[in-house]
Amino acid sequence: QVQLVESGGGLVQPGGSLRLSCAASGFTFSSYAMSWYRQAPGKEREWIAAISSGASTRYKDSVKGRFTISRDNAKNTVFLQMNSLKPEDTAVYYCNAVQWPYYTGTPLYSWGQGTQVTVSS
């Protein structure tokens, strides 16, 4: 049974930083690309970052240079370091496994519960 458990969200002031984690289980984590997504209130879920099994990375333009995706295959965990946060980054953040290079496409598994990020002064 596949599980994706996101954590690390919270309330942060504009310009601040957060590091999100996603612990995966139930599949061979090291063999899969992983993506981060987010869903803001009233908006559709959007893809924001991906990392291949070989650690190649891709980013949505709106987060490029501010967010960094990484992975620890020994811990079956993917991370999202978020710096210079803006109010428009407020959303629930999710991770999922994806097919590379179709990393913006349909994810492979059911969604986890996500983690809320709120950027506000």
Side-chain angles (χ1 to χ4, degrees):
Q1 180 182 0
V2 171
Q3 282 195 313
L4 298 164
V5 181
E6 299 91 349
S7 62
L11 173 63
V12 62
Q13 292 187 340
S17 298
L18 282 174
R19 189 191 195 208
L20 306 184
S21 299
C22 168
S25 60
F27 62 101
T28 307
F29 178 81
S30 60
S31 297
Y32 286 84
M34 297 293 294
S35 280
W36 280 98
Y37 304 77
R38 66 186 180 188
Q39 186 167 20
K43 296 187 176 181
E44 291 189 354
R45 186 154 26 206
E46 65 173 352
W47 169 84
I48 57 172
I51 185 166
S52 72
S53 59
S56 295
T57 57
R58 301 290 187 273
Y59 298 94
K60 186 178 178 69
D61 284 349
S62 59
V63 306
K64 198 174 295 182
R66 300 188 298 123
F67 291 10
T68 302
I69 188 171
S70 61
R71 64 190 300 157
D72 184 339
N73 290 336
K75 296 182 178 179
N76 287 0
T77 301
V78 61
F79 303 98
L80 187 68
Q81 177 67 43
M82 306 188 296
N83 299 329
S84 303
L85 283 161
K86 305 175 181 181
E88 51 264 42
D89 294 317
T90 295
V92 180
Y93 284 70
Y94 303 87
C95 70
N96 213 313
V98 292
Q99 287 188 325
W100 192 271
Y102 312 107
Y103 44 82
T104 63
T106 302
L108 298 180
Y109 302 115
S110 298
W111 298 103
Q113 85 288 348
T115 186
Q116 175 70 49
V117 172
T118 303
V119 184
S120 175
S121 54

